[in-house]
Amino acid sequence: MVQVLAEAPEDIVTAAEPAIPRRRALLRRNAVRLARRPGFVAALAIVAGVIASAFVPSVFTSYDPYATAPAQRLRPPSATHLFGTDDVGRDLWARTLYGSGLTVQAALIAVGIALIAGLALGLVSGFFGGATDSVVMRGVDVLLAIPGLLSALAIVTALGFGTIPVAIAVGVGILPGFARTTRSEVLRVKTLPYVEAARAGGASWLRVLLRHVLPNSWGPVLALSVLDFGTAIIAVAALSFLGFGAAPPQAEWGSLVAGGRNFLVTAPWVSLLPGAVIVFTVLSLNHIAKTLQEWKR
């Protein structure tokens, strides 16, 4: 009997070992699996390069994106000017790199707004249900009924031109997807046994919501945020193309594409190369989001 009691604490410690090492091993194993996918690695490298250029563009070029050189106007891509030059002789590679700053930052702000507001609405709607769910979801349905670009145009017209108004407008446009995805996950998670046990044990609804429901509901929302980051980049570039973004001579991807539309025959690289950067960035984000969705399954 004494021997059993003496050995019991050791058994309890062994049984109650923290799960952190197991989680770390699982993360390492999943990281190795993802690293074996060349498409995912290439997409991740492209997105990482774009984000790095958005915050430290001077690392990738020594040219001033605003320095004009009329004698060098509309030069084709070369070793000196990787993307050629525009109609006033500015280096397009430098302008694309510096333009990623405003475009990516606006897209990040938009996704942040949609993520925070969508999570809050989805959590409240799915967890409380009833009249609260009906009111919140009818408001989301109204937003879904309006085309995203149309609502963004209305909002940015009301708020004024510039990067921040464009980011707010795009964030409101993509918010319904986050709210609906979060709600569907909360409806699934809140019926699981450990949530019901926490509520039966006397835990407050706020504790159950923040400690049990939210951490187990945000997985699909994470994949959606990566996917909608690409959608936000396209929307920001579209509004910038239409002239609602930052004022010239500041560079944005959409304004760079718009600036070369008059030279599509004589100097197609002025529009096509910044447009190609947008395309590869969005395709890379879509591939990462798809891989994350498959991984979560």
PDB file of all heavy atoms in Angstrom, residues 39-76:
ATOM      1  N   GLY A  39       5.341  24.011 -54.701  1.00  0.00           N
ATOM      2  CA  GLY A  39       4.413  25.090 -55.029  1.00  0.00           C
ATOM      3  C   GLY A  39       4.124  25.973 -53.835  1.00  0.00           C
ATOM      4  O   GLY A  39       4.084  27.208 -53.949  1.00  0.00           O
ATOM      5  N   PHE A  40       3.951  25.351 -52.677  1.00  0.00           N
ATOM      6  CA  PHE A  40       3.685  26.120 -51.465  1.00  0.00           C
ATOM      7  C   PHE A  40       4.902  26.945 -51.074  1.00  0.00           C
ATOM      8  O   PHE A  40       4.772  28.110 -50.688  1.00  0.00           O
ATOM      9  CB  PHE A  40       3.309  25.165 -50.323  1.00  0.00           C
ATOM     10  CG  PHE A  40       3.070  25.858 -49.008  1.00  0.00           C
ATOM     11  CD1 PHE A  40       1.842  26.448 -48.738  1.00  0.00           C
ATOM     12  CD2 PHE A  40       4.068  25.926 -48.047  1.00  0.00           C
ATOM     13  CE1 PHE A  40       1.617  27.095 -47.534  1.00  0.00           C
ATOM     14  CE2 PHE A  40       3.857  26.572 -46.845  1.00  0.00           C
ATOM     15  CZ  PHE A  40       2.622  27.147 -46.580  1.00  0.00           C
ATOM     16  N   VAL A  41       6.086  26.359 -51.192  1.00  0.00           N
ATOM     17  CA  VAL A  41       7.315  27.087 -50.849  1.00  0.00           C
ATOM     18  C   VAL A  41       7.510  28.276 -51.781  1.00  0.00           C
ATOM     19  O   VAL A  41       7.860  29.389 -51.343  1.00  0.00           O
ATOM     20  CB  VAL A  41       8.531  26.144 -50.907  1.00  0.00           C
ATOM     21  CG1 VAL A  41       9.828  26.919 -50.712  1.00  0.00           C
ATOM     22  CG2 VAL A  41       8.402  25.055 -49.849  1.00  0.00           C
ATOM     23  N   ALA A  42       7.266  28.081 -53.089  1.00  0.00           N
ATOM     24  CA  ALA A  42       7.406  29.178 -54.048  1.00  0.00           C
ATOM     25  C   ALA A  42       6.392  30.284 -53.758  1.00  0.00           C
ATOM     26  O   ALA A  42       6.726  31.477 -53.792  1.00  0.00           O
ATOM     27  CB  ALA A  42       7.230  28.657 -55.470  1.00  0.00           C
ATOM     28  N   ALA A  43       5.141  29.898 -53.471  1.00  0.00           N
ATOM     29  CA  ALA A  43       4.117  30.896 -53.149  1.00  0.00           C
ATOM     30  C   ALA A  43       4.475  31.665 -51.885  1.00  0.00           C
ATOM     31  O   ALA A  43       4.318  32.896 -51.818  1.00  0.00           O
ATOM     32  CB  ALA A  43       2.756  30.216 -52.994  1.00  0.00           C
ATOM     33  N   LEU A  44       4.977  30.945 -50.898  1.00  0.00           N
ATOM     34  CA  LEU A  44       5.368  31.595 -49.644  1.00  0.00           C
ATOM     35  C   LEU A  44       6.533  32.559 -49.866  1.00  0.00           C
ATOM     36  O   LEU A  44       6.565  33.657 -49.292  1.00  0.00           O
ATOM     37  CB  LEU A  44       5.749  30.535 -48.605  1.00  0.00           C
ATOM     38  CG  LEU A  44       5.793  30.963 -47.148  1.00  0.00           C
ATOM     39  CD1 LEU A  44       4.425  31.427 -46.682  1.00  0.00           C
ATOM     40  CD2 LEU A  44       6.284  29.809 -46.282  1.00  0.00           C
ATOM     41  N   ALA A  45       7.474  32.174 -50.722  1.00  0.00           N
ATOM     42  CA  ALA A  45       8.617  33.045 -51.012  1.00  0.00           C
ATOM     43  C   ALA A  45       8.166  34.322 -51.724  1.00  0.00           C
ATOM     44  O   ALA A  45       8.650  35.424 -51.422  1.00  0.00           O
ATOM     45  CB  ALA A  45       9.637  32.299 -51.866  1.00  0.00           C
ATOM     46  N   ILE A  46       7.222  34.193 -52.654  1.00  0.00           N
ATOM     47  CA  ILE A  46       6.719  35.368 -53.371  1.00  0.00           C
ATOM     48  C   ILE A  46       6.016  36.321 -52.408  1.00  0.00           C
ATOM     49  O   ILE A  46       6.263  37.534 -52.410  1.00  0.00           O
ATOM     50  CB  ILE A  46       5.761  34.944 -54.503  1.00  0.00           C
ATOM     51  CG1 ILE A  46       6.550  34.243 -55.609  1.00  0.00           C
ATOM     52  CG2 ILE A  46       5.019  36.149 -55.074  1.00  0.00           C
ATOM     53  CD1 ILE A  46       5.674  33.626 -56.690  1.00  0.00           C
ATOM     54  N   VAL A  47       5.149  35.777 -51.561  1.00  0.00           N
ATOM     55  CA  VAL A  47       4.419  36.626 -50.608  1.00  0.00           C
ATOM     56  C   VAL A  47       5.381  37.266 -49.608  1.00  0.00           C
ATOM     57  O   VAL A  47       5.245  38.457 -49.273  1.00  0.00           O
ATOM     58  CB  VAL A  47       3.339  35.801 -49.890  1.00  0.00           C
ATOM     59  CG1 VAL A  47       2.684  36.611 -48.778  1.00  0.00           C
ATOM     60  CG2 VAL A  47       2.286  35.330 -50.881  1.00  0.00           C
ATOM     61  N   ALA A  48       6.348  36.499 -49.140  1.00  0.00           N
ATOM     62  CA  ALA A  48       7.332  37.057 -48.204  1.00  0.00           C
ATOM     63  C   ALA A  48       8.126  38.185 -48.854  1.00  0.00           C
ATOM     64  O   ALA A  48       8.395  39.221 -48.226  1.00  0.00           O
ATOM     65  CB  ALA A  48       8.272  35.960 -47.716  1.00  0.00           C
ATOM     66  N   GLY A  49       8.498  38.003 -50.130  1.00  0.00           N
ATOM     67  CA  GLY A  49       9.216  39.056 -50.839  1.00  0.00           C
ATOM     68  C   GLY A  49       8.381  40.303 -51.011  1.00  0.00           C
ATOM     69  O   GLY A  49       8.883  41.434 -50.856  1.00  0.00           O
ATOM     70  N   VAL A  50       7.093  40.131 -51.316  1.00  0.00           N
ATOM     71  CA  VAL A  50       6.206  41.284 -51.477  1.00  0.00           C
ATOM     72  C   VAL A  50       6.044  42.033 -50.161  1.00  0.00           C
ATOM     73  O   VAL A  50       6.103  43.280 -50.111  1.00  0.00           O
ATOM     74  CB  VAL A  50       4.840  40.829 -52.021  1.00  0.00           C
ATOM     75  CG1 VAL A  50       3.809  41.951 -51.922  1.00  0.00           C
ATOM     76  CG2 VAL A  50       4.973  40.370 -53.463  1.00  0.00           C
ATOM     77  N   ILE A  51       5.856  41.298 -49.072  1.00  0.00           N
ATOM     78  CA  ILE A  51       5.691  41.946 -47.770  1.00  0.00           C
ATOM     79  C   ILE A  51       6.985  42.652 -47.356  1.00  0.00           C
ATOM     80  O   ILE A  51       6.959  43.772 -46.820  1.00  0.00           O
ATOM     81  CB  ILE A  51       5.261  40.909 -46.718  1.00  0.00           C
ATOM     82  CG1 ILE A  51       3.843  40.406 -47.043  1.00  0.00           C
ATOM     83  CG2 ILE A  51       5.298  41.507 -45.324  1.00  0.00           C
ATOM     84  CD1 ILE A  51       3.349  39.311 -46.139  1.00  0.00           C
ATOM     85  N   ALA A  52       8.128  42.013 -47.619  1.00  0.00           N
ATOM     86  CA  ALA A  52       9.409  42.660 -47.293  1.00  0.00           C
ATOM     87  C   ALA A  52       9.591  43.941 -48.095  1.00  0.00           C
ATOM     88  O   ALA A  52      10.015  44.976 -47.567  1.00  0.00           O
ATOM     89  CB  ALA A  52      10.556  41.694 -47.554  1.00  0.00           C
ATOM     90  N   SER A  53       9.235  43.899 -49.374  1.00  0.00           N
ATOM     91  CA  SER A  53       9.376  45.098 -50.208  1.00  0.00           C
ATOM     92  C   SER A  53       8.408  46.190 -49.782  1.00  0.00           C
ATOM     93  O   SER A  53       8.662  47.380 -49.996  1.00  0.00           O
ATOM     94  CB  SER A  53       9.152  44.751 -51.676  1.00  0.00           C
ATOM     95  OG  SER A  53       7.795  44.415 -51.930  1.00  0.00           O
ATOM     96  N   ALA A  54       7.291  45.796 -49.178  1.00  0.00           N
ATOM     97  CA  ALA A  54       6.321  46.793 -48.728  1.00  0.00           C
ATOM     98  C   ALA A  54       6.842  47.603 -47.554  1.00  0.00           C
ATOM     99  O   ALA A  54       6.479  48.774 -47.390  1.00  0.00           O
ATOM    100  CB  ALA A  54       5.008  46.105 -48.348  1.00  0.00           C
ATOM    101  N   PHE A  55       7.695  46.996 -46.736  1.00  0.00           N
ATOM    102  CA  PHE A  55       8.165  47.680 -45.537  1.00  0.00           C
ATOM    103  C   PHE A  55       9.607  48.171 -45.651  1.00  0.00           C
ATOM    104  O   PHE A  55       9.965  49.177 -45.031  1.00  0.00           O
ATOM    105  CB  PHE A  55       8.016  46.752 -44.328  1.00  0.00           C
ATOM    106  CG  PHE A  55       6.587  46.494 -43.951  1.00  0.00           C
ATOM    107  CD1 PHE A  55       5.928  45.351 -44.395  1.00  0.00           C
ATOM    108  CD2 PHE A  55       5.877  47.395 -43.179  1.00  0.00           C
ATOM    109  CE1 PHE A  55       4.603  45.111 -44.068  1.00  0.00           C
ATOM    110  CE2 PHE A  55       4.550  47.170 -42.839  1.00  0.00           C
ATOM    111  CZ  PHE A  55       3.910  46.023 -43.286  1.00  0.00           C
ATOM    112  N   VAL A  56      10.425  47.495 -46.440  1.00  0.00           N
ATOM    113  CA  VAL A  56      11.820  47.939 -46.622  1.00  0.00           C
ATOM    114  C   VAL A  56      12.185  47.882 -48.105  1.00  0.00           C
ATOM    115  O   VAL A  56      13.048  47.100 -48.520  1.00  0.00           O
ATOM    116  CB  VAL A  56      12.803  47.093 -45.776  1.00  0.00           C
ATOM    117  CG1 VAL A  56      12.747  47.483 -44.320  1.00  0.00           C
ATOM    118  CG2 VAL A  56      12.516  45.594 -45.934  1.00  0.00           C
ATOM    119  N   PRO A  57      11.548  48.703 -48.933  1.00  0.00           N
ATOM    120  CA  PRO A  57      11.811  48.623 -50.378  1.00  0.00           C
ATOM    121  C   PRO A  57      13.224  49.026 -50.762  1.00  0.00           C
ATOM    122  O   PRO A  57      13.734  48.580 -51.795  1.00  0.00           O
ATOM    123  CB  PRO A  57      10.781  49.595 -50.968  1.00  0.00           C
ATOM    124  CG  PRO A  57      10.464  50.529 -49.865  1.00  0.00           C
ATOM    125  CD  PRO A  57      10.547  49.724 -48.608  1.00  0.00           C
ATOM    126  N   SER A  58      13.864  49.850 -49.940  1.00  0.00           N
ATOM    127  CA  SER A  58      15.210  50.316 -50.280  1.00  0.00           C
ATOM    128  C   SER A  58      16.227  49.185 -50.289  1.00  0.00           C
ATOM    129  O   SER A  58      17.314  49.330 -50.862  1.00  0.00           O
ATOM    130  CB  SER A  58      15.656  51.391 -49.290  1.00  0.00           C
ATOM    131  OG  SER A  58      15.625  50.900 -47.965  1.00  0.00           O
ATOM    132  N   VAL A  59      15.899  48.036 -49.677  1.00  0.00           N
ATOM    133  CA  VAL A  59      16.813  46.896 -49.682  1.00  0.00           C
ATOM    134  C   VAL A  59      16.928  46.298 -51.078  1.00  0.00           C
ATOM    135  O   VAL A  59      17.957  45.743 -51.448  1.00  0.00           O
ATOM    136  CB  VAL A  59      16.329  45.832 -48.668  1.00  0.00           C
ATOM    137  CG1 VAL A  59      17.154  44.556 -48.774  1.00  0.00           C
ATOM    138  CG2 VAL A  59      16.381  46.382 -47.253  1.00  0.00           C
ATOM    139  N   PHE A  60      15.880  46.432 -51.888  1.00  0.00           N
ATOM    140  CA  PHE A  60      15.812  45.758 -53.183  1.00  0.00           C
ATOM    141  C   PHE A  60      16.158  46.656 -54.368  1.00  0.00           C
ATOM    142  O   PHE A  60      16.229  46.184 -55.488  1.00  0.00           O
ATOM    143  CB  PHE A  60      14.412  45.171 -53.384  1.00  0.00           C
ATOM    144  CG  PHE A  60      13.996  44.196 -52.316  1.00  0.00           C
ATOM    145  CD1 PHE A  60      13.268  44.618 -51.213  1.00  0.00           C
ATOM    146  CD2 PHE A  60      14.354  42.863 -52.401  1.00  0.00           C
ATOM    147  CE1 PHE A  60      12.888  43.726 -50.223  1.00  0.00           C
ATOM    148  CE2 PHE A  60      13.983  41.961 -51.421  1.00  0.00           C
ATOM    149  CZ  PHE A  60      13.253  42.397 -50.329  1.00  0.00           C
ATOM    150  N   THR A  61      16.331  47.939 -54.133  1.00  0.00           N
ATOM    151  CA  THR A  61      16.679  48.855 -55.230  1.00  0.00           C
ATOM    152  C   THR A  61      17.377  50.085 -54.672  1.00  0.00           C
ATOM    153  O   THR A  61      17.138  50.484 -53.528  1.00  0.00           O
ATOM    154  CB  THR A  61      15.423  49.285 -56.010  1.00  0.00           C
ATOM    155  OG1 THR A  61      15.804  50.133 -57.084  1.00  0.00           O
ATOM    156  CG2 THR A  61      14.448  50.027 -55.124  1.00  0.00           C
ATOM    157  N   SER A  62      18.224  50.656 -55.509  1.00  0.00           N
ATOM    158  CA  SER A  62      18.902  51.894 -55.120  1.00  0.00           C
ATOM    159  C   SER A  62      18.326  53.112 -55.831  1.00  0.00           C
ATOM    160  O   SER A  62      18.764  54.239 -55.603  1.00  0.00           O
ATOM    161  CB  SER A  62      20.403  51.783 -55.437  1.00  0.00           C
ATOM    162  OG  SER A  62      20.606  51.538 -56.825  1.00  0.00           O
ATOM    163  N   TYR A  63      17.336  52.907 -56.687  1.00  0.00           N
ATOM    164  CA  TYR A  63      16.750  54.007 -57.447  1.00  0.00           C
ATOM    165  C   TYR A  63      15.711  54.753 -56.608  1.00  0.00           C
ATOM    166  O   TYR A  63      15.010  54.154 -55.779  1.00  0.00           O
ATOM    167  CB  TYR A  63      16.077  53.493 -58.727  1.00  0.00           C
ATOM    168  CG  TYR A  63      17.046  53.152 -59.828  1.00  0.00           C
ATOM    169  CD1 TYR A  63      17.428  51.836 -60.064  1.00  0.00           C
ATOM    170  CD2 TYR A  63      17.581  54.144 -60.654  1.00  0.00           C
ATOM    171  CE1 TYR A  63      18.307  51.508 -61.077  1.00  0.00           C
ATOM    172  CE2 TYR A  63      18.462  53.823 -61.686  1.00  0.00           C
ATOM    173  CZ  TYR A  63      18.822  52.512 -61.884  1.00  0.00           C
ATOM    174  OH  TYR A  63      19.697  52.190 -62.886  1.00  0.00           O
ATOM    175  N   ASP A  64      15.616  56.041 -56.868  1.00  0.00           N
ATOM    176  CA  ASP A  64      14.567  56.866 -56.270  1.00  0.00           C
ATOM    177  C   ASP A  64      13.300  56.700 -57.112  1.00  0.00           C
ATOM    178  O   ASP A  64      13.319  56.985 -58.313  1.00  0.00           O
ATOM    179  CB  ASP A  64      15.011  58.328 -56.248  1.00  0.00           C
ATOM    180  CG  ASP A  64      13.996  59.236 -55.560  1.00  0.00           C
ATOM    181  OD1 ASP A  64      12.869  58.788 -55.297  1.00  0.00           O
ATOM    182  OD2 ASP A  64      14.341  60.401 -55.293  1.00  0.00           O
ATOM    183  N   PRO A  65      12.187  56.251 -56.520  1.00  0.00           N
ATOM    184  CA  PRO A  65      10.981  56.009 -57.329  1.00  0.00           C
ATOM    185  C   PRO A  65      10.341  57.288 -57.863  1.00  0.00           C
ATOM    186  O   PRO A  65       9.475  57.211 -58.740  1.00  0.00           O
ATOM    187  CB  PRO A  65      10.051  55.300 -56.347  1.00  0.00           C
ATOM    188  CG  PRO A  65      10.495  55.760 -55.002  1.00  0.00           C
ATOM    189  CD  PRO A  65      11.979  55.925 -55.105  1.00  0.00           C
ATOM    190  N   TYR A  66      10.776  58.449 -57.362  1.00  0.00           N
ATOM    191  CA  TYR A  66      10.159  59.702 -57.786  1.00  0.00           C
ATOM    192  C   TYR A  66      11.101  60.567 -58.626  1.00  0.00           C
ATOM    193  O   TYR A  66      10.709  61.641 -59.065  1.00  0.00           O
ATOM    194  CB  TYR A  66       9.692  60.503 -56.566  1.00  0.00           C
ATOM    195  CG  TYR A  66       8.769  59.700 -55.672  1.00  0.00           C
ATOM    196  CD1 TYR A  66       9.172  59.285 -54.407  1.00  0.00           C
ATOM    197  CD2 TYR A  66       7.499  59.335 -56.102  1.00  0.00           C
ATOM    198  CE1 TYR A  66       8.334  58.544 -53.596  1.00  0.00           C
ATOM    199  CE2 TYR A  66       6.649  58.583 -55.304  1.00  0.00           C
ATOM    200  CZ  TYR A  66       7.071  58.196 -54.052  1.00  0.00           C
ATOM    201  OH  TYR A  66       6.238  57.452 -53.265  1.00  0.00           O
ATOM    202  N   ALA A  67      12.316  60.080 -58.860  1.00  0.00           N
ATOM    203  CA  ALA A  67      13.291  60.849 -59.647  1.00  0.00           C
ATOM    204  C   ALA A  67      13.005  60.681 -61.129  1.00  0.00           C
ATOM    205  O   ALA A  67      13.017  59.561 -61.655  1.00  0.00           O
ATOM    206  CB  ALA A  67      14.711  60.388 -59.321  1.00  0.00           C
ATOM    207  N   THR A  68      12.737  61.779 -61.803  1.00  0.00           N
ATOM    208  CA  THR A  68      12.434  61.734 -63.236  1.00  0.00           C
ATOM    209  C   THR A  68      13.708  61.904 -64.057  1.00  0.00           C
ATOM    210  O   THR A  68      14.664  62.532 -63.621  1.00  0.00           O
ATOM    211  CB  THR A  68      11.430  62.838 -63.614  1.00  0.00           C
ATOM    212  OG1 THR A  68      12.020  64.110 -63.322  1.00  0.00           O
ATOM    213  CG2 THR A  68      10.138  62.681 -62.835  1.00  0.00           C
ATOM    214  N   ALA A  69      13.686  61.306 -65.263  1.00  0.00           N
ATOM    215  CA  ALA A  69      14.806  61.424 -66.210  1.00  0.00           C
ATOM    216  C   ALA A  69      14.219  61.373 -67.612  1.00  0.00           C
ATOM    217  O   ALA A  69      14.137  60.302 -68.224  1.00  0.00           O
ATOM    218  CB  ALA A  69      15.815  60.305 -65.996  1.00  0.00           C
ATOM    219  N   PRO A  70      13.753  62.515 -68.136  1.00  0.00           N
ATOM    220  CA  PRO A  70      13.077  62.528 -69.443  1.00  0.00           C
ATOM    221  C   PRO A  70      13.893  61.883 -70.557  1.00  0.00           C
ATOM    222  O   PRO A  70      13.314  61.317 -71.494  1.00  0.00           O
ATOM    223  CB  PRO A  70      12.859  64.019 -69.697  1.00  0.00           C
ATOM    224  CG  PRO A  70      12.807  64.627 -68.326  1.00  0.00           C
ATOM    225  CD  PRO A  70      13.772  63.840 -67.501  1.00  0.00           C
ATOM    226  N   ALA A  71      15.208  61.947 -70.458  1.00  0.00           N
ATOM    227  CA  ALA A  71      16.027  61.333 -71.502  1.00  0.00           C
ATOM    228  C   ALA A  71      15.934  59.815 -71.480  1.00  0.00           C
ATOM    229  O   ALA A  71      16.273  59.143 -72.468  1.00  0.00           O
ATOM    230  CB  ALA A  71      17.483  61.763 -71.341  1.00  0.00           C
ATOM    231  N   GLN A  72      15.449  59.227 -70.351  1.00  0.00           N
ATOM    232  CA  GLN A  72      15.353  57.773 -70.214  1.00  0.00           C
ATOM    233  C   GLN A  72      13.903  57.283 -70.301  1.00  0.00           C
ATOM    234  O   GLN A  72      13.621  56.151 -69.927  1.00  0.00           O
ATOM    235  CB  GLN A  72      15.931  57.354 -68.849  1.00  0.00           C
ATOM    236  CG  GLN A  72      17.377  57.753 -68.636  1.00  0.00           C
ATOM    237  CD  GLN A  72      18.317  56.937 -69.502  1.00  0.00           C
ATOM    238  OE1 GLN A  72      18.070  55.766 -69.767  1.00  0.00           O
ATOM    239  NE2 GLN A  72      19.406  57.544 -69.945  1.00  0.00           N
ATOM    240  N   ARG A  73      12.994  58.088 -70.816  1.00  0.00           N
ATOM    241  CA  ARG A  73      11.575  57.741 -70.803  1.00  0.00           C
ATOM    242  C   ARG A  73      11.266  56.530 -71.689  1.00  0.00           C
ATOM    243  O   ARG A  73      11.849  56.356 -72.758  1.00  0.00           O
ATOM    244  CB  ARG A  73      10.722  58.936 -71.234  1.00  0.00           C
ATOM    245  CG  ARG A  73      10.882  59.371 -72.677  1.00  0.00           C
ATOM    246  CD  ARG A  73      10.090  60.640 -72.981  1.00  0.00           C
ATOM    247  NE  ARG A  73       8.687  60.499 -72.724  1.00  0.00           N
ATOM    248  CZ  ARG A  73       7.809  60.076 -73.623  1.00  0.00           C
ATOM    249  NH1 ARG A  73       8.210  59.743 -74.851  1.00  0.00           N
ATOM    250  NH2 ARG A  73       6.528  59.982 -73.311  1.00  0.00           N
ATOM    251  N   LEU A  74      10.364  55.683 -71.188  1.00  0.00           N
ATOM    252  CA  LEU A  74       9.851  54.512 -71.915  1.00  0.00           C
ATOM    253  C   LEU A  74      10.961  53.599 -72.422  1.00  0.00           C
ATOM    254  O   LEU A  74      10.894  53.064 -73.534  1.00  0.00           O
ATOM    255  CB  LEU A  74       8.957  54.961 -73.077  1.00  0.00           C
ATOM    256  CG  LEU A  74       7.695  55.752 -72.687  1.00  0.00           C
ATOM    257  CD1 LEU A  74       6.904  56.153 -73.915  1.00  0.00           C
ATOM    258  CD2 LEU A  74       6.821  54.961 -71.725  1.00  0.00           C
ATOM    259  N   ARG A  75      11.976  53.405 -71.584  1.00  0.00           N
ATOM    260  CA  ARG A  75      13.023  52.427 -71.915  1.00  0.00           C
ATOM    261  C   ARG A  75      12.519  51.028 -71.573  1.00  0.00           C
ATOM    262  O   ARG A  75      11.896  50.822 -70.530  1.00  0.00           O
ATOM    263  CB  ARG A  75      14.301  52.724 -71.136  1.00  0.00           C
ATOM    264  CG  ARG A  75      14.993  54.019 -71.551  1.00  0.00           C
ATOM    265  CD  ARG A  75      15.506  53.913 -72.976  1.00  0.00           C
ATOM    266  NE  ARG A  75      16.103  55.157 -73.452  1.00  0.00           N
ATOM    267  CZ  ARG A  75      17.392  55.467 -73.309  1.00  0.00           C
ATOM    268  NH1 ARG A  75      18.203  54.624 -72.695  1.00  0.00           N
ATOM    269  NH2 ARG A  75      17.851  56.603 -73.777  1.00  0.00           N
ATOM    270  N   PRO A  76      12.779  50.040 -72.421  1.00  0.00           N
ATOM    271  CA  PRO A  76      12.311  48.668 -72.141  1.00  0.00           C
ATOM    272  C   PRO A  76      13.096  48.047 -70.986  1.00  0.00           C
ATOM    273  O   PRO A  76      14.155  48.551 -70.589  1.00  0.00           O
ATOM    274  CB  PRO A  76      12.589  47.937 -73.458  1.00  0.00           C
ATOM    275  CG  PRO A  76      13.704  48.706 -74.083  1.00  0.00           C
ATOM    276  CD  PRO A  76      13.497  50.135 -73.698  1.00  0.00           C
TER     277      PRO A  76
END
